[in-house]
Amino acid sequence: MSNNLSAFARYRGKLGELMYLAGPIMGAQLATTGMTFVDTSMAGQYSALDLASIAIGSSTWVPVYLLIRGILMAITPTVAHLYGARQTGEIAGQVRQGLWIALLMSLLALGFIYQSDVVLQWLQVGPAMAGKTLEYLKALAWGIPAICLFQALNCYCEGMGKTKPGMVFSFIALNFTSLTFMVPLSLSMGLTIRVGQALGAGKTAQAAYSSYAGIVTTLVSATLSAAVMLFLPGVVTSIYTQNTEVAILAAQLLVYAALFQYADGIQIAAIGALRGYKDTRVPMAMILFACWGVALPLGYILGLTDWIVAPMGPHGLWIGLVSALTMSAILLTLRLRAIIRHRVSAADNMAIS
């Protein structure tokens, strides 16, 4: 009994440390995603055409933003390791390089956004919808340089442990899950900092415990998100649209969204911990395989062909997404376990010698 209480007290202590870092990050991420949420909900109340236009615009911009964010995230574990090792004099040079990369990324992103009409033509978007989508994207483009520079500086602050400064029916389900995803994503970023600083300070066991405690915490968060989607689907869809047909279809897809909350939470927590270990190449290959080797072909086959069953439409696409996230969660957890064992074993051997 005393061992259980001791383990819980230790977990509670680590949870407090993680939430101290992840809380401000969560606020910043929710604020950023909240802009798209407000755009979408307002457009949906105006007309289905405006909702679809904003949906396409957001779906075009978000992958670009995530690419920028993903590249600049390399700053966080780099700074965290140097800070943990008390090598603070080397941090400024790393951050300056990050700022140059951010500037380059902003120029590339601007070029893509201003040429996005090619993407819309490839997607066979109608002229009326394409026009509204381009207006939305070009208005959004004004903020891209600031977003890139902010992300670079924000990652620097995160690495130092100073997180407070950073404070159509299928799309409805995706947009809402993107909003709830900010909670486990923020926890993941907090994990990167905790693990990176612990490793920098040579505290291998502490890094391992923080990794597992972070995964448990994201599972709690996933349970709350899934409960909202399963038991309050009408409330969720009413935020976006008053169109009954769209709302019914969106509510059906929220069931799939609820299912992948657990897999999504585990995989993003594992990614955060692995980033703290500076292990990024193998996880990237695992995610690419899950997305391109599983989600895309399986979603296409189930959603748009009759090769296995009659075309399932959006339901088939979401089954592909859930399957990919589940596989990604399994692979990344196994990778994290292997990395932790290797680091702990190396630390033990060093202590013996």
Side-chain angles (χ1 to χ4, degrees):
M1 183 68 178
S2 60
N3 289 336
N4 291 336
L5 290 174
S6 176
F8 178 74
R10 187 182 179 193
Y11 168 72
R12 187 173 61 184
K14 292 298 178 184
L15 176 61
E17 294 174 358
L18 177 60
M19 291 307 298
Y20 176 79
L21 293 168
I25 296 175
M26 201 177 300
Q29 293 298 318
L30 287 171
T32 303
T33 307
M35 290 188 288
T36 303
F37 170 74
V38 171
D39 290 343
T40 306
S41 58
M42 288 180 65
Q45 302 300 331
Y46 186 73
S47 73
L49 175 62
D50 286 88
L51 173 60
S53 300
I54 297 298
I56 294 172
S58 297
S59 298
T60 303
W61 158 245
V62 168
V64 177
Y65 169 74
L66 292 177
L67 175 64
I68 294 169
R69 178 65 176 161
I71 291 173
L72 295 177
M73 272 182 174
I75 298 172
T76 302
T78 301
V79 172
H81 274 253
L82 292 172
Y83 183 80
R86 299 295 184 264
Q87 298 173 356
T88 53
E90 298 181 26
I91 292 175
Q94 298 292 335
V95 175
R96 278 195 296 269
Q97 294 301 316
L99 290 171
W100 281 113
I101 294 172
L103 181 60
L104 175 62
M105 293 299 296
S106 69
L107 294 175
L108 293 174
L110 282 169
F112 173 78
I113 291 297
Y114 275 93
Q115 297 298 320
S116 55
D117 55 329
V118 176
V119 177
L120 299 181
Q121 291 174 11
W122 180 68
L123 293 173
Q124 299 181 347
V125 178
M129 193 180 299
K132 287 180 177 290
T133 300
L134 286 172
E135 288 178 10
Y136 173 74
L137 286 172
K138 289 180 179 179
L140 183 149
W142 286 94
I144 289 178
I147 289 173
C148 291
L149 292 174
F150 165 78
Q151 291 298 341
L153 293 172
N154 190 45
C155 288
Y156 156 68
C157 291
E158 289 173 359
M160 296 287 287
K162 302 180 186 300
T163 57
K164 290 184 180 179
M167 265 184 65
V168 304
F169 57 85
S170 187
F171 182 76
I172 289 174
L174 280 173
N175 183 261
F176 187 74
T177 54
S178 296
L179 190 65
T180 59
F181 178 69
M182 292 304 105
V183 176
L185 177 61
S186 302
L187 292 171
S188 173
M189 293 176 180
L191 261 181
T192 300
I193 302 166
R194 290 298 307 160
V195 171
Q197 291 186 353
L199 291 172
K203 299 176 181 178
T204 309
Q206 186 181 106
Y209 191 85
S210 294
S211 299
Y212 291 128
I215 291 176
V216 172
T217 305
T218 57
L219 289 176
V220 175
S221 168
T223 300
L224 297 175
S225 300
V228 172
M229 296 175 196
L230 286 174
F231 300 115
L232 299 171
V235 175
V236 174
T237 57
S238 66
I239 298 172
Y240 294 90
T241 183
Q242 299 302 317
N243 185 303
T244 304
E245 183 180 358
V246 172
I248 291 173
L249 290 169
Q252 293 174 1
L253 296 182
L254 281 172
V255 175
Y256 294 103
L259 290 176
F260 78 59
Q261 293 302 300
Y262 293 97
D264 208 15
I266 292 172
Q267 65 103 15
I268 195 62
I271 289 172
L274 287 168
R275 194 180 296 120
Y277 281 96
K278 289 188 174 181
D279 183 51
T280 56
R281 293 184 181 179
V282 173
M284 180 186 71
M286 290 175 171
I287 294 169
L288 286 174
F289 171 72
C291 292
W292 292 92
V294 177
L296 191 60
L298 182 60
Y300 174 78
I301 291 169
L302 294 178
L304 304 176
T305 74
D306 58 357
W307 297 352
I308 299 177
V309 295
M312 300 175 66
H315 295 275
L317 298 174
W318 276 78
I319 290 173
L321 177 60
V322 173
S323 301
L325 287 171
T326 302
M327 177 170 288
S328 178
I330 293 171
L331 292 175
L332 290 167
T333 302
L334 291 174
R335 176 66 179 177
L336 176 61
R337 186 167 174 245
I339 290 291
I340 288 175
R341 284 186 169 185
H342 174 72
R343 286 298 189 96
V344 171
S345 177
D348 290 343
N349 291 336
M350 186 176 295
I352 292 172
S353 62

